[in-house]
Amino acid sequence: MILQHEIPQGGKLYFGKSAKLKREIEKSASEVFCNNGFEEILTPSFSFLQHQQLFSDREILRLSSENNQQISLRYDSTIDTIRIITKRLMRSTGAKKWFYIQPVFSYPSNEIHQIGAECLEKESFNLLLEISTQLFKIWGIQPHIQLSNTNIMQLCSQELNLNPTEILNTQVDHLLKIPLLAQLLKIQTPQDLQKFIQEKAPLFLKNELQKLLESAKSIKYDNIIISIIQDVPVNYYCDITFRAFLQNITLMLGGNYTIHNTPSCGFGIYTDNVLIILHNKENHG
């Protein structure tokens, strides 16, 4: 029996203080993006299923249109944003910096609200990290920013003849028995990374390690963590990626990627997780 006050598991309800706080967060984000020359985009809630090929069918909420075409609820804002910009809007607007404030949906009934940005310009990594840290400062949050380089994991797996998934799924105490991985696991700060590059880094890793170090040094932020053995946050991200977290709660994922032959950089902030942190902060003074 389903009671009248119940909502499906995974659905979101905002009222009173939480609804007001959500609107304040979204309003401040919109202002920061606009002040930095970003255009806003709200993509359709529905996509053709063929446009979601990067993702597992098991995660996508599928439907049929009135023409019996396979469609889905929006599973990922980045894919739709880049596709629509490159295939539909670029010629008419010329804009390359876009932001969105909208939910995505996944099976069985998950509703995930996001504040995101996509920049179709080279060397936009620093700009997007600067904007994201500015937003966290406005909201009174100081998360850890974790930086990784997906190319390092690929090179290590080739060198060690191990599958990247195998490395990620192996317990840390077993990874510590592999000398190279043991050394990489000890790197936690930009200072650790710089010392490793200068003293121990194997030649086949130096360029990618140096790229990661340069990215870390370019960020004007104190809480920077280096994570070498790290999973790709979302399967289209490549090269330098970043994650913001606090109290073991992920607040943001982002990084460089190439979709439709367009090198870009973007991030997604999880609005509901930001709300959790702010509520915790308020309740604990």
Side-chain angles (χ1 to χ4, degrees):
M1 178 180 178
I2 299 175
L3 301 177
Q4 291 188 8
H5 68 272
E6 291 185 289
I7 59 175
Q9 185 175 356
K12 296 294 189 298
L13 170 66
Y14 307 93
F15 62 94
K17 186 182 292 186
S18 65
K20 180 181 178 182
L21 185 55
K22 181 174 183 288
R23 294 304 176 206
E24 289 174 352
I25 288 171
E26 294 172 343
K27 182 176 183 292
S28 60
S30 177
E31 290 173 351
V32 168
F33 285 126
C34 290
N35 290 339
N36 282 275
F38 282 71
E39 297 282 347
E40 185 170 8
I41 184 169
L42 298 173
T43 64
S45 296
F46 300 100
S47 297
F48 288 110
L49 190 61
Q50 67 190 57
H51 294 153
Q52 308 294 316
Q53 292 176 347
L54 284 176
F55 307 107
S56 167
D57 283 348
R58 290 177 296 176
E59 299 172 317
I60 295 174
L61 287 167
R62 304 172 61 165
L63 310 113
S64 294
S65 71
E66 61 181 355
N67 297 323
N68 205 31
Q69 293 171 314
Q70 290 293 296
I71 60 175
S72 69
L73 276 173
R74 179 177 56 238
Y75 178 78
D76 182 276
S77 288
T78 295
I79 295 289
D80 282 351
T81 297
I82 297 301
R83 176 177 52 80
I84 290 171
I85 291 169
T86 56
K87 306 302 181 185
R88 191 181 183 105
L89 301 180
M90 188 69 79
R91 290 181 182 177
S92 59
T93 69
K96 294 186 176 182
K97 297 190 293 185
W98 297 84
F99 78 95
Y100 50 82
I101 299 173
Q102 61 188 23
V104 294
F105 307 92
S106 65
Y107 181 85
S109 57
N110 298 313
E111 178 184 346
I112 304 165
H113 289 256
Q114 294 180 331
I115 297 168
E118 314 298 341
C119 195
L120 288 71
E121 294 180 336
K122 291 182 178 180
E123 310 300 330
S124 55
F125 179 88
N126 290 351
L127 170 63
L128 289 180
L129 261 179
E130 182 180 336
I131 288 174
S132 63
T133 53
Q134 182 182 350
L135 287 175
F136 289 128
K137 184 176 181 180
I138 291 171
W139 300 332
I141 301 173
Q142 192 174 15
H144 301 285
I145 303 293
Q146 182 185 67
L147 295 183
S148 303
N149 183 342
T150 61
N151 296 329
I152 295 174
M153 175 68 85
Q154 293 296 328
L155 290 171
C156 286
S157 65
Q158 292 171 15
E159 178 73 13
L160 299 170
N161 196 28
L162 293 172
N163 188 290
T165 303
E166 184 180 353
I167 295 175
L168 291 168
N169 291 337
T170 301
Q171 294 183 354
V172 173
D173 56 342
H174 290 146
L175 293 180
L176 291 173
K177 296 176 182 178
I178 304 173
L180 174 60
L181 298 183
Q183 292 175 340
L184 294 175
L185 283 168
K186 293 177 182 178
I187 298 172
Q188 297 183 349
T189 67
Q191 293 76 22
D192 293 340
L193 178 57
Q194 183 166 5
K195 184 177 180 181
F196 180 75
I197 292 172
Q198 292 171 346
E199 298 178 1
K200 303 177 182 177
L203 186 61
F204 76 96
L205 283 182
K206 272 199 171 181
N207 288 341
E208 297 300 334
L209 289 169
Q210 188 64 42
K211 188 191 299 183
L212 181 58
L213 178 62
E214 290 170 1
S215 297
K217 286 183 173 181
S218 68
I219 304 168
K220 298 177 182 178
Y221 192 75
D222 293 331
N223 294 342
I224 299 292
I225 295 174
I226 301 297
S227 181
I228 304 295
I229 309 301
Q230 182 67 34
D231 195 6
V232 179
V234 185
N235 59 7
Y236 47 74
Y237 283 133
C238 61
D239 196 47
I240 308 297
T241 63
F242 51 90
R243 171 178 173 254
F245 68 94
L246 190 63
Q247 302 171 14
N248 291 323
I249 297 174
T250 297
L251 302 177
M252 174 184 68
L253 293 176
N256 295 324
Y257 61 86
T258 298
I259 297 175
H260 295 300
N261 298 316
T262 305
S264 308
C265 186
F267 67 74
I269 293 174
Y270 296 99
T271 310
D272 294 301
N273 289 354
V274 172
L275 289 172
I276 290 171
I277 295 295
L278 292 177
H279 285 311
N280 290 345
K281 184 178 178 181
E282 181 180 346
N283 293 335
H284 293 89

